[in-house]
């Protein structure tokens, strides 16, 4: 078990270094001078620009800048923005919105996705099964920004069921509509995964044996089928939670939610390189940590995974 954990941590460390280095190089080698752009309509004096470049080490080779950045990460420093504020402090004020949105979307996926998958799996080939299958295909085919704008127009402006932007209405009103939009893709995946798992389990020999012995169907489904069908779904849901925490950029921009995604979006627009890299690093760490936890849980449930 220790060797398995060590191997996975080493693999993810290599992935982390590779991905963050690529992001860092892409951000800080883009055309344009972010320091010169700080002055907007009033150009900064050359002496001030040179001082700022030295302060943020932008006059050094990019590989040396990256090493300095990684060294700061070990001290818990995600960098400092061009406005002088630590990136970590700016993120701390935004996390509650993103976490609330992600957990709301995740709860929708868990409850509705598992329930739909179970019902359609038990009614394999029926009208409900085919209808839900078509719905899941449509949900995964439409881009999220199209769904977001359409939902905002129909359910926010025309019907007036939900606020169209901001968080002033609080939870759940301000979060429910964007959470539904961002949850649709994961919801479709959970439904199809659960359905397929239920169909396979219902065809198993042990289910036929329990049926032949006269066990009530609700006991077979509620205990044995659910227990054997939910394992792959739980794996997907755990990984998807990490994705939801980092994949809210478009939705937060559409619904004007002041979360981590909106912070990243604004930083990209204003060429705020340190903020872009810091936020991206935090999101990568969350996703990798989630992956490690999923692997650990799976290895405990199925010891064969440790030897693969």
């Amino acid at each position: 078990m220790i060797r398995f954990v060590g191997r996975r941590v080493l693999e993810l460390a290599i992935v982390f270094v590779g991905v963050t280095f690529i992001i860092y190089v892409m951000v800080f080698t883009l055309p344009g001078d972010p320091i010169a752009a700080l002055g907007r309509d009033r150009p900064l004096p050359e002496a001030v620009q040179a001082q700022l470049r030295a302060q943020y080490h932008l006059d050094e080779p990019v590989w040396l800048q990256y090493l300095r950045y990684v060294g700061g990460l070990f001290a818990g420093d995600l960098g400092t923005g061009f406005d002088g504020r630590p990136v970590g402090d700016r993120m701390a004020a935004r996390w509650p919105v993103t976490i609330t949105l992600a957990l709301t979307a995740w709860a929708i996926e868990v409850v509705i996705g598992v329930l739909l998958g179970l019902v359609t799996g038990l009614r394999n080939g029926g009208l409900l099964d085919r209808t839900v299958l078509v719905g899941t295909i449509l949900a995964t085919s439409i881009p999220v920004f199209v769904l977001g704008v359409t939902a905002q127009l129909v359910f926010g402006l025309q019907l007036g069921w939900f606020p169209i932007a901001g968080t002033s209405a609080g939870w759940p009103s301000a979060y429910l509509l964007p959470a539904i939009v961002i949850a649709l893709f994961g919801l479709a995946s959970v439904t199809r995964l659960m359905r397929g798992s239920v169909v396979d389990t219902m065809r198993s020999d042990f289910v036929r044996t329990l049926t032949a012995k006269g066990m009530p169907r609700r006991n077979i489904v509620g205990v044995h089928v659910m227990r054997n069908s939910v394992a792959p779904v739980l794996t997907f849901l755990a990984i998807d939670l990490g994705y939801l925490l980092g994949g809210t950029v478009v939705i937060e921009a559409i619904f004007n939610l002041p979360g981590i995604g909106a912070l990243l979006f604004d930083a990209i627009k204003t060429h705020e390189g340190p903020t872009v890299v810091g936020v991206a690093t935090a999101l990568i760490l969350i996703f990798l940590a989630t992956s490690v936890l999923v692997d650990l849980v799976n290895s405990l449930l199925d010891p064969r995974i440790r030897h693969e």
Side-chain angles (χ1 to χ4, degrees), residues 252-274:
E252 288 185 1
I254 292 174
F255 288 92
N256 194 28
L257 301 175
I260 295 295
L263 175 63
L264 179 60
F265 184 74
D266 293 339
I268 293 173
K269 289 194 302 181
T270 57
H271 302 285
E272 180 78 26

Side-chain angles (χ1 to χ4, degrees), residues 11 37 43 59 68 95 112 153-154 162 222 228 232 260 265 294 297:
E11 292 172 353
D59 54 351
R68 289 182 182 278
W95 272 122
I112 300 179
L153 176 64
V154 175
F162 302 98
N228 287 275
I260 295 295
F265 184 74
V294 169
V297 172

